[in-house]
Amino acid sequence: MELTTVWFTLIAVLWIGYFALEGFDFGVGMLLPVLARDEREKRVLINTIGPVWDGNEVWVLVAGGATFAAFPEWYATLFSGFYLPLLLILVGLIVRGLAFEYRHKRDDAAWRRNWDLALIIGSVVPALLWGVAFANILRGVPIEELNGHLEYTGGFFNLLNPYALLGGLMTLTLFLTHGAMYVALKTDGDIRHRARALAVRTGIGAAVIAVAFLLWTQVMTGSVASAVAFVVAALCLVGGIAAAAVGREGWAFLGTFVTIAAGVAGLFLALFPDVMPSSIDAAYSLTTTNAAATSYTLTVMTVVAVVFTPIVLAYQAWSYWVFRKRISVQHIPEETLAGSGSAA
C-alpha cells in the first residue's frame, strides 16, 4: 500500500475517533437545558464528560496536524475555502471550553446561566457545521487552477446548499442522540430514565435524516465499500434505538458509537481517492496523489505514528476506565464547590 493511501486511512481513523468520542460531548452540551431540571442535575450532566472532553478534542488537533503534514495542498485549500465555518467551529470550541472551566467559579445563578448558554451554543455550532463542512467536501467545491496552483474560487454561500445543510442536520441529530445514550449509560436515577426515553425519540428523527443523507451520498459519489459501511451504520443505529427502548444502555451507546464510526468511514470511502473534489472539472480535483507531501515526509510521519499512537490510545483508554462509574445527584453536594475543569 502506498504511503499516501496509508495516511489518508490514518486521517480517516482520526476523524472517526473524533466524531465518535467528541460527538457525545456535543450531545451532552446540547441536552443541558432539556434533561437537567435544577443545578445539581446540570452538574451531573457536565460531570459525565468533565474528565474526558478535552482528551476527546485531541483527535481533531491530531487530524488537522496530520492533514497539514501529509496533504499540505488539501490543508491549504480546505482552510482557505472553508475559513468562515472553520473559524466559527473554532470559536464554538473555545467558548465551550471556557464554559467548562468558568461556570463553577462563582456561586451566582446569572453567572452560571450565561456559561450554560455558552456551553449550549459551543456544542450546537460545531455539531452542525462539521456536517456542513464534510458534506461540501464530498459534494465538491469550486476548485480551479490559478497561477499554477489548485485553489478554491467559491464563496461562503456556496457552502450553504441543500445537501450540505442536510449533512449538518444529520451530525446535529446523531450527536444529540449519541449524547443522550451516553447520559443514560453514565448516570443513575431520574435523569438516566429521561435520557434513555429522549434517546429513543431523537434517534428516530436522526435515523430518518441519516438514511436520507447517506442514500444521497451513495447515489452521488458512493462505492461498493461505502455502501457496506452505510448499511452497517443504519443497522447499528436501529439496533441502538431498540436497545435503548428496552433499557440496555450499554448496547444502545455502542450502537450509536458504531453508527457514527461506520458512517464517517463510509464518507471517506466514498471520497477516496479524492481528498477535495472540484465541482468545476474533475481534472482540478485534489487527490491523495497531487495533494500529498514528499515520500520522505510521509515516511518520517509513519515512524512517529507507529511509536506514539499506541501510547496515546492506551492513556485515553485508561482515563475512560478510571471514570467508568455512574454518577447521580447523590454524588453532588448541595453547596457549589470550586474545583477543576473536570467538575461542575
Side-chain angles (χ1 to χ4, degrees):
M1 183 183 295
E2 295 183 359
L3 284 178
T4 53
T5 303
V6 169
W7 274 97
F8 179 87
T9 304
L10 289 175
I11 289 171
V13 169
L14 290 169
W15 282 108
I16 289 169
Y18 175 65
F19 285 132
L21 295 173
E22 187 80 336
F24 66 73
D25 288 347
F26 291 144
V28 173
M30 290 186 283
L31 290 171
L32 192 65
V34 179
L35 289 178
R37 295 179 177 175
D38 54 36
E39 174 60 22
R40 294 178 77 189
E41 289 191 348
K42 287 181 180 179
R43 293 169 66 189
V44 167
L45 281 176
I46 295 173
N47 283 355
T48 61
I49 58 175
V52 298
W53 70 267
D54 47 356
N56 293 340
E57 285 191 354
V58 170
W59 289 81
V60 73
L61 297 176
V62 179
T67 304
F68 172 77
F71 299 101
E73 292 288 340
W74 183 14
Y75 181 92
T77 305
L78 177 65
F79 277 78
S80 60
F82 290 31
Y83 180 82
L84 183 55
L86 291 177
L87 177 63
L88 292 174
I89 289 172
L90 178 61
V91 171
L93 294 176
I94 292 172
V95 168
R96 179 169 162 269
L98 290 173
F100 282 122
E101 297 293 339
Y102 282 93
R103 80 175 299 277
H104 63 280
K105 295 295 185 182
R106 287 174 56 183
D107 187 11
D108 179 78
W111 171 271
R112 290 194 297 266
R113 186 167 56 249
N114 290 334
W115 283 117
D116 288 345
L117 180 61
L119 175 58
I120 296 164
I121 295 173
S123 299
V124 170
V125 170
L128 177 68
L129 292 184
W130 277 130
V132 171
F134 268 81
N136 273 293
I137 294 175
L138 284 158
R139 176 177 177 266
V141 292
I143 298 175
E144 55 184 310
E145 188 172 357
L146 297 175
N147 301 320
H149 296 281
L150 295 174
E151 297 183 10
Y152 177 83
T153 57
F156 173 72
F157 292 102
N158 292 98
L159 306 177
L160 302 179
N161 54 79
Y163 174 73
L165 294 176
L166 183 62
L169 285 176
M170 181 189 71
T171 52
L172 183 73
T173 54
L174 277 178
F175 292 165
L176 196 67
T177 303
H178 197 35
M181 298 287 194
Y182 182 76
V183 172
L185 178 66
K186 285 289 294 178
T187 62
D188 209 352
D190 290 342
I191 196 169
R192 170 187 178 184
H193 302 298
R194 293 199 300 269
R196 192 172 64 219
L198 181 64
V200 174
R201 296 196 298 270
T202 60
I204 293 171
V208 172
I209 295 171
V211 168
F213 178 79
L214 296 179
L215 279 176
W216 192 343
T217 302
Q218 184 63 28
V219 170
M220 180 177 63
T221 185
S223 62
V224 174
S226 67
V228 172
F230 292 156
V231 169
V232 170
L235 292 176
C236 287
L237 182 55
V238 172
I241 296 170
V246 298
R248 301 296 297 273
E249 289 105 342
W251 287 106
F253 177 74
L254 181 63
T256 52
F257 188 97
V258 177
T259 294
I260 294 172
V264 176
L267 297 181
F268 275 91
L269 288 169
L271 183 63
F272 185 80
D274 292 335
V275 294
M276 207 160 182
S278 171
S279 59
I280 297 175
D281 189 330
Y284 298 143
S285 295
L286 295 175
T287 68
T288 55
T289 301
N290 65 15
T294 64
S295 177
Y296 178 76
T297 299
L298 295 177
T299 301
V300 173
M301 290 174 60
T302 302
V303 173
V304 172
V306 168
V307 173
F308 288 100
T309 300
I311 298 174
V312 174
L313 292 176
Y315 174 78
Q316 190 160 28
W318 175 78
S319 67
Y320 274 93
W321 176 256
V322 169
F323 296 102
R324 66 189 181 278
K325 293 184 178 180
R326 293 179 183 269
I327 62 173
S328 66
V329 292
Q330 284 73 30
H331 299 109
I332 306 295
E334 290 285 354
E335 69 276 10
T336 300
L337 297 178
S340 67
S342 63

